[in-house]
Amino acid sequence: MAKTNPGRFFEDYTVGETIHHAVPRTVSGGERALYHALYPARHALYSSDEFARSCGLPASPLDDLAAFHVVFGKTVPDISLNALANLGYAEGRWLKPVYPGDTIHSTSEVIGLKQNSNGKSGVVWVRTKGRNQRAEVVLDYVRWVMVRKRDFDAPAPEVVIPDLAPALAASDLTIPDGLNFTNYDFTLAGEAHRWGDYEVGEKIDHVDGVTVEEAEHMMATRLWQNTAKVHFDIGSRPDGRRLIYGGHVISMARTLSFNGLANAQIIAGLNGGTHANPCYSGDTIKAWSEVLDRAETSAPGVGALRLRLVATKGGEAFTLKGEDGKYLPHVMLDLDYWALIPL
Amino acid sequence: MAKTNPGRFFEDYTVGETIHHAVPRTVSGGERALYHALYPARHALYSSDEFARSCGLPASPLDDLAAFHVVFGKTVPDISLNALANLGYAEGRWLKPVYPGDTIHSTSEVIGLKQNSNGKSGVVWVRTKGRNQRAEVVLDYVRWVMVRKRDFDAPAPEVVIPDLAPALAASDLTIPDGLNFTNYDFTLAGEAHRWGDYEVGEKIDHVDGVTVEEAEHMMATRLWQNTAKVHFDIGSRPDGRRLIYGGHVISMARTLSFNGLANAQIIAGLNGGTHANPCYSGDTIKAWSEVLDRAETSAPGVGALRLRLVATKGGEAFTLKGEDGKYLPHVMLDLDYWALIPL
Amino acid sequence: MAKTNPGRFFEDYTVGETIHHAVPRTVSGGERALYHALYPARHALYSSDEFARSCGLPASPLDDLAAFHVVFGKTVPDISLNALANLGYAEGRWLKPVYPGDTIHSTSEVIGLKQNSNGKSGVVWVRTKGRNQRAEVVLDYVRWVMVRKRDFDAPAPEVVIPDLAPALAASDLTIPDGLNFTNYDFTLAGEAHRWGDYEVGEKIDHVDGVTVEEAEHMMATRLWQNTAKVHFDIGSRPDGRRLIYGGHVISMARTLSFNGLANAQIIAGLNGGTHANPCYSGDTIKAWSEVLDRAETSAPGVGALRLRLVATKGGEAFTLKGEDGKYLPHVMLDLDYWALIPL
């Protein structure tokens, strides 16, 4: 019997089952330092314990996207090892900050299945939850992937398509316990722009760019224990190129967005996201954002902005789709998230 | 007087002398995070404090190979700066786990000397011990290297060839205090295969591959404070290529072996090892294992597997040597070690 | 209104103003481990908590240059985003060690301004102070940069050129509280050479070299939250090459200087420094030092050496300037600093 993990195929999933993902992970200051080395991360709340305390938190948490990557990475061997495409995200909610010393593990419930008409693959929807050592859910999100069938003759499962919110309402967001932006230090944070300074429809070109390297994206992807072969092995794809983990592009774009959104400190919700085109070593990632919505929250001094974050390689800022409605070839990422920002 | 370290030459060693290696090192969560970034490390005991506690340890230790690299790196300036070849390892025993906060230093006793017939070099055997801040030995191993003579006219020393065990017996292994696998969580560990599922002679192709980069192997080698010029300076070898530290290949192969040996958590003994062919940036490392022996241990629920671990770049899995008895050119590493695994 | 930071231009500075730089940073063992991965750092005081305690410190501090980079990185968005050249350093003093857990922020006072005769740029002198969470100054230095004007027609400011010491006197140096080298362990430190073994005028070729890679210098530069575009984006310069952060060259040269100056543990003063020629990925950095001065200090067993540290790419060791008085093209760095070393 082969002892290696071949990954699951489309016919191996059943709606309602819960998959317990392997390899829990304790995070430390090491993960935080590496996040700062791998990305131009400058949000003050995730850089300084003192700043975090001035905002009512006990210490500086692990970056919200680092927490996402840790939770996500664990799901890869069970969900996307045989995936043909990572199709989307929805209803992502950060429920508890992750602090150095916390141990994270992940589970995924299969919430939808739909075989493709070609009979060779299908779409699997999962709701993934990351939990800490106290069994508190720290992150909860839905993603769907297109997965190959092992046996093309396997019968198609009953079609179940989950009813997913096109976007979270601001009232669906969870604010970290104790968060208080009334004494927020805009000087230390790096920009003066507060919630009220952003208008719906406003677009921001984040200006800076980073040319990415093989060693960096592999270190990042390994750090999150993501095992997908295409990121590491030049022999795993016909073109001999390593595909960069989509999460690397997300983190690069989000950290680049500091320049213009320095006070959008906390990611509280993920409404959706599309990896529109692949990223390879040598590409120069730039980013732009659009304000999609604004809302107040129940926490003192804390507002919420719904933001589109677009990562590009080349092309004009603010261009997204062609006349055919398809993403332009220089668009790598179109992400829709909620951030918390001082009022 | 030149103040830089020229390294020792063959005639500088005396059987019986003990060399105290410089630069003690305190390890932290930073080294653990970097190990996870540099290698696809997924063994749960070294990833999660909670998992380690469920196995009777106080916390998650530093990976056994990271401990090896820390101890080994310190020996390079005194043992292998003028080495022509790293010839072998024997009788390696991990005696105490290394935890974040521990400070490690190394000593080596010269236990054998044999000048080569050409009069230009000789073989030096050393027994190296790594100790923590409580002077407890954490690792003990023998290695032998071929070292240049400074003065070809220096007299040959008396030949002393140490009597080394071809392999440790399972009863020679030290089990970490408190280790108990009776409540082992196979789901969190990532695979269901336990000690009884592995048969002597069984071979496992670990499937995954990693294409290695200059930046990665240099960061790894520096992290262990290994100063050998050939790893860093393109001017140090006639071909202008940087030779990758053999320990980088060991760690890559061992972490790739997770896929099929996820429960072989702890490295307890090193029986031998050969760096059969060099590794360079751009090579894609894959690995296969063979079960060489099995034994029970005195610790609750803990079995031992003796494993061959082979790292390759190209070639068919499970091929090792040609008809001439020599390693095939795609074989980079042939390692023989004992791992602890739940019964 | 554009929300991104365009950086300051020459006419935006006023003598006497204090700029509070953004993004405070809490450091941990992660930064220390990364410093060891990015540079061949081996000074024992910064590697081992036990060694540091034997020298009278409470634990091993963050490397002095890592502290410098943290403080310096914060100043980039306000001081050098539109800089044409980084012209010099003076009067740099390390006043308190930085320990894991400390949170650092920076301020700069503008102490000099001089418009260039072409009317398109000018020189800005700033005195930068890094402070920890107790508001203690940990580092204080002057640097001056040539900064573009936004509006060439803006009036020239009154010329103010600060009176800077060509070098600190040894009596200006601050010795870390409690430092005591009377029980210094030269074996663990790696070399036998003490203060008395170095003569003024002595030159040391540090022998070792490191060929640098894009991924490494970008990770290092990001770790210090230095945002200058030229280090990251191949589109930011006409030649499409990423310029390596000068501080990366400083740290590489300093750590290479271990081989011959292993006991010059602590950097206490920065007298001056010139980035003579640029460094690019693929360059092989080597280093040599010259003893410029010697002094005793008030701390037990602690002497001081004033050292020139030169980083090169190719060329003969100990060559520095041509007959025209200009730096030779292979010289990248000429640094003048005070180190503390056992008597």
Side-chain angles (χ1 to χ4, degrees):
Chain A
M1 183 197 79
K3 288 199 164 64
T4 51
N5 175 22
R8 284 172 170 238
F9 292 86
F10 180 68
E11 61 265 41
D12 299 329
Y13 296 93
T14 306
V15 169
E17 74 171 321
T18 293
I19 302 169
H20 294 265
H21 305 298
V23 193
R25 171 70 164 271
T26 305
V27 298
S28 77
E31 279 78 7
R32 183 158 79 183
L34 269 162
Y35 198 80
H36 281 82
L38 291 163
Y39 306 106
R42 298 184 73 226
H43 288 93
L45 192 62
Y46 300 88
S47 178
S48 164
D49 284 346
E50 304 294 321
F51 191 94
R53 283 178 199 127
S54 77
C55 298
L57 302 186
S60 178
L62 194 67
D63 191 279
D64 300 310
L65 288 177
F68 174 82
H69 297 315
V70 170
V71 172
F72 180 100
K74 301 189 183 327
T75 71
V76 169
D78 298 313
I79 304 298
S80 44
L81 214 58
N82 298 308
L84 297 164
N86 196 20
L87 296 172
Y89 307 97
E91 299 184 3
R93 301 197 309 149
W94 279 258
L95 301 169
K96 284 267 179 190
V98 174
Y99 292 101
D102 280 356
T103 299
I104 305 300
H105 69 280
S106 305
T107 59
S108 294
E109 184 187 357
V110 180
I111 60 170
L113 286 173
K114 180 176 181 298
Q115 183 166 309
N116 287 332
S117 55
N118 65 12
K120 297 179 179 173
S121 58
V123 179
V124 180
W125 284 261
V126 292
R127 179 176 292 279
T128 295
K129 295 185 184 192
R131 287 181 175 83
N132 64 21
Q133 68 278 15
R134 291 179 297 275
E136 298 164 335
V137 178
V138 298
L139 174 63
D140 178 343
Y141 67 93
V142 173
R143 87 163 158 140
W144 53 107
V145 291
M146 191 186 300
V147 180
R148 268 177 287 196
K149 291 181 74 174
R150 183 194 297 105
D151 171 11
F152 294 169
D153 295 330
E158 186 186 355
V159 173
V160 177
I161 297 176
D163 185 24
L164 298 170
L168 295 166
S171 57
D172 295 329
L173 304 177
T174 296
I175 314 291
D177 284 349
L179 190 71
N180 182 331
F181 280 159
T182 54
N183 292 315
Y184 189 90
D185 187 327
F186 288 86
T187 301
L188 281 182
E191 288 180 354
H193 324 303
R194 54 178 73 228
W195 181 80
D197 296 324
Y198 293 90
E199 292 175 27
V200 173
E202 181 176 353
K203 293 179 181 177
I204 301 157
D205 178 358
H206 299 299
V207 181
D208 300 315
V210 175
T211 308
V212 294
E213 298 291 320
E214 301 283 13
E216 292 170 356
H217 78 81
M218 292 200 295
M219 287 183 68
T221 308
R222 274 193 294 254
L223 185 59
W224 320 123
Q225 299 177 310
N226 177 332
T227 59
K229 293 171 180 60
V230 292
H231 307 316
F232 301 108
D233 181 352
I234 58 169
S236 66
R237 284 161 40 100
D239 66 2
R241 301 175 82 180
R242 280 165 277 186
L243 186 69
I244 292 181
Y245 163 47
H248 192 62
V249 179
I250 295 177
S251 277
M252 197 62 86
R254 158 70 178 165
T255 49
L256 287 171
S257 79
F258 177 91
N259 199 347
L261 280 166
N263 297 315
Q265 293 281 353
I266 295 175
I267 300 183
L270 178 62
N271 299 308
T274 301
H275 298 288
N277 284 291
C279 182
Y280 301 106
S281 176
D283 287 346
T284 298
I285 303 179
K286 295 197 174 191
W288 59 269
S289 293
E290 179 182 359
V291 181
L292 299 178
D293 200 358
R294 305 190 327 157
E296 299 195 42
T297 80
S298 58
V302 180
L305 290 181
R306 184 179 160 198
L307 296 160
R308 159 175 277 158
L309 173 63
V310 177
T312 63
K313 46 176 177 180
E316 293 293 307
F318 310 139
T319 58
L320 189 67
K321 295 181 178 177
E323 294 185 2
D324 57 3
K326 293 184 179 167
Y327 285 105
L328 293 166
H330 65 268
V331 174
M332 294 188 288
L333 172 75
D334 183 12
L335 198 78
D336 179 341
Y337 72 104
W338 279 104
L340 304 181
I341 182 170
L343 288 176
Chain B
M1 185 197 75
K3 288 200 165 62
T4 51
N5 175 21
R8 286 173 169 236
F9 292 85
F10 181 67
E11 63 265 40
D12 298 329
Y13 296 93
T14 306
V15 170
E17 74 172 321
T18 293
I19 302 169
H20 293 265
H21 304 299
V23 193
R25 171 68 165 272
T26 305
V27 298
S28 78
E31 279 77 6
R32 183 158 81 183
L34 270 163
Y35 199 79
H36 281 83
L38 292 163
Y39 306 107
R42 299 184 71 227
H43 289 92
L45 191 62
Y46 299 88
S47 178
S48 164
D49 284 347
E50 304 295 321
F51 192 93
R53 283 178 198 127
S54 77
C55 298
L57 301 186
S60 178
L62 193 68
D63 191 279
D64 301 309
L65 287 177
F68 174 81
H69 297 315
V70 170
V71 172
F72 181 101
K74 302 188 184 327
T75 72
V76 169
D78 298 314
I79 306 297
S80 44
L81 213 58
N82 298 307
L84 298 163
N86 197 18
L87 296 172
Y89 307 97
E91 299 185 1
R93 301 196 309 150
W94 279 258
L95 300 169
K96 284 268 180 189
V98 174
Y99 292 100
D102 282 355
T103 300
I104 305 300
H105 69 281
S106 305
T107 59
S108 294
E109 183 187 358
V110 181
I111 61 168
L113 287 173
K114 181 177 179 298
Q115 183 166 308
N116 287 332
S117 54
N118 65 12
K120 296 179 179 172
S121 59
V123 179
V124 179
W125 283 260
V126 293
R127 179 176 292 281
T128 296
K129 294 184 184 191
R131 287 181 176 83
N132 65 21
Q133 68 280 13
R134 290 179 298 277
E136 297 165 335
V137 178
V138 297
L139 173 63
D140 179 343
Y141 67 93
V142 173
R143 89 163 155 139
W144 54 107
V145 292
M146 189 186 300
V147 180
R148 268 176 286 195
K149 292 180 74 173
R150 184 194 296 105
D151 172 10
F152 295 168
D153 295 328
E158 187 187 355
V159 174
V160 177
I161 297 177
D163 186 25
L164 298 170
L168 296 165
S171 56
D172 295 328
L173 304 177
T174 297
I175 313 292
D177 285 349
L179 190 72
N180 182 332
F181 280 160
T182 55
N183 292 316
Y184 189 91
D185 187 327
F186 289 86
T187 300
L188 280 183
E191 288 181 355
H193 324 303
R194 53 177 74 225
W195 181 79
D197 296 325
Y198 293 90
E199 292 174 26
V200 173
E202 181 175 353
K203 293 178 181 177
I204 302 158
D205 178 357
H206 299 299
V207 181
D208 300 316
V210 174
T211 308
V212 294
E213 297 290 320
E214 300 284 14
E216 291 169 356
H217 78 80
M218 291 199 296
M219 288 183 67
T221 308
R222 274 192 295 253
L223 185 59
W224 319 124
Q225 299 176 311
N226 178 332
T227 59
K229 295 171 178 59
V230 292
H231 308 316
F232 300 108
D233 180 353
I234 59 169
S236 66
R237 285 160 40 101
D239 66 1
R241 302 176 82 180
R242 279 165 277 185
L243 184 70
I244 293 181
Y245 164 47
H248 192 63
V249 178
I250 295 177
S251 277
M252 197 62 86
R254 158 69 178 166
T255 49
L256 287 170
S257 80
F258 177 92
N259 199 346
L261 281 165
N263 297 314
Q265 294 280 352
I266 295 175
I267 300 184
L270 177 62
N271 299 307
T274 300
H275 298 287
N277 283 291
C279 182
Y280 301 106
S281 176
D283 288 345
T284 299
I285 303 178
K286 296 196 173 191
W288 59 270
S289 294
E290 179 183 358
V291 181
L292 299 178
D293 199 0
R294 306 191 326 156
E296 299 195 43
T297 80
S298 59
V302 180
L305 290 181
R306 184 178 160 199
L307 296 160
R308 159 175 277 157
L309 173 63
V310 177
T312 63
K313 46 176 177 181
E316 292 293 306
F318 309 137
T319 57
L320 190 67
K321 295 180 179 177
E323 294 184 2
D324 57 1
K326 293 184 179 167
Y327 284 105
L328 293 166
H330 64 267
V331 173
M332 294 188 287
L333 173 75
D334 182 12
L335 199 78
D336 179 342
Y337 72 104
W338 279 103
L340 304 181
I341 182 169
L343 289 174
Chain C
M1 184 196 77
K3 288 200 165 63
T4 51
N5 175 21
R8 284 172 171 237
F9 292 85
F10 180 68
E11 62 266 41
D12 298 328
Y13 296 93
T14 306
V15 169
E17 74 172 319
T18 293
I19 302 169
H20 293 264
H21 305 299
V23 193
R25 170 71 165 271
T26 306
V27 298
S28 77
E31 279 77 7
R32 183 158 81 182
L34 270 164
Y35 199 78
H36 281 82
L38 291 164
Y39 306 106
R42 300 184 72 227
H43 289 92
L45 191 62
Y46 300 88
S47 178
S48 163
D49 283 347
E50 304 295 320
F51 191 94
R53 283 177 200 128
S54 77
C55 298
L57 301 186
S60 178
L62 194 67
D63 191 278
D64 300 310
L65 288 177
F68 174 82
H69 297 315
V70 170
V71 172
F72 181 101
K74 301 188 183 329
T75 72
V76 169
D78 298 313
I79 305 297
S80 44
L81 214 59
N82 298 309
L84 297 164
N86 196 20
L87 297 172
Y89 308 98
E91 299 184 0
R93 300 196 310 148
W94 280 258
L95 300 168
K96 284 269 180 189
V98 174
Y99 292 101
D102 281 355
T103 300
I104 305 300
H105 69 280
S106 305
T107 59
S108 295
E109 184 188 357
V110 181
I111 60 169
L113 287 173
K114 180 177 181 299
Q115 183 166 310
N116 287 331
S117 55
N118 66 12
K120 297 180 179 172
S121 57
V123 179
V124 180
W125 283 262
V126 292
R127 179 176 293 280
T128 295
K129 296 184 184 194
R131 286 181 176 82
N132 65 20
Q133 69 279 14
R134 290 178 297 277
E136 297 164 336
V137 179
V138 298
L139 174 64
D140 180 341
Y141 67 93
V142 173
R143 88 163 155 139
W144 54 107
V145 292
M146 189 187 299
V147 179
R148 268 176 287 194
K149 291 181 73 173
R150 184 194 297 105
D151 171 11
F152 295 166
D153 296 329
E158 185 186 357
V159 175
V160 177
I161 298 177
D163 185 25
L164 297 171
L168 295 166
S171 56
D172 294 329
L173 304 177
T174 296
I175 314 292
D177 284 348
L179 189 72
N180 182 333
F181 280 159
T182 55
N183 292 315
Y184 189 90
D185 187 329
F186 288 86
T187 301
L188 280 181
E191 288 181 356
H193 323 305
R194 54 177 74 225
W195 182 80
D197 296 325
Y198 293 91
E199 292 175 26
V200 173
E202 182 176 353
K203 292 179 181 176
I204 301 158
D205 178 359
H206 300 299
V207 181
D208 301 316
V210 174
T211 308
V212 295
E213 298 289 321
E214 301 284 14
E216 292 169 356
H217 78 80
M218 291 199 296
M219 288 183 67
T221 307
R222 274 192 295 253
L223 184 59
W224 318 124
Q225 299 176 311
N226 177 333
T227 58
K229 294 172 178 60
V230 291
H231 308 316
F232 300 108
D233 179 353
I234 58 169
S236 65
R237 283 160 42 100
D239 67 1
R241 301 175 83 181
R242 280 164 277 185
L243 185 69
I244 292 181
Y245 163 48
H248 192 61
V249 178
I250 295 177
S251 276
M252 197 62 85
R254 158 69 178 166
T255 49
L256 287 171
S257 80
F258 177 91
N259 199 347
L261 281 164
N263 297 315
Q265 293 282 353
I266 294 175
I267 299 183
L270 178 62
N271 299 307
T274 301
H275 297 287
N277 284 291
C279 182
Y280 300 106
S281 176
D283 287 346
T284 299
I285 303 179
K286 297 196 174 193
W288 59 269
S289 293
E290 178 182 358
V291 180
L292 300 177
D293 200 358
R294 306 191 325 157
E296 299 195 41
T297 80
S298 59
V302 179
L305 290 180
R306 184 178 161 200
L307 296 160
R308 158 174 278 157
L309 173 63
V310 176
T312 64
K313 46 177 178 179
E316 294 291 308
F318 309 138
T319 58
L320 189 67
K321 295 182 178 177
E323 293 184 3
D324 58 2
K326 291 184 180 166
Y327 284 104
L328 293 167
H330 64 268
V331 172
M332 294 188 288
L333 173 75
D334 182 12
L335 199 77
D336 179 340
Y337 71 104
W338 280 103
L340 304 181
I341 182 169
L343 289 175

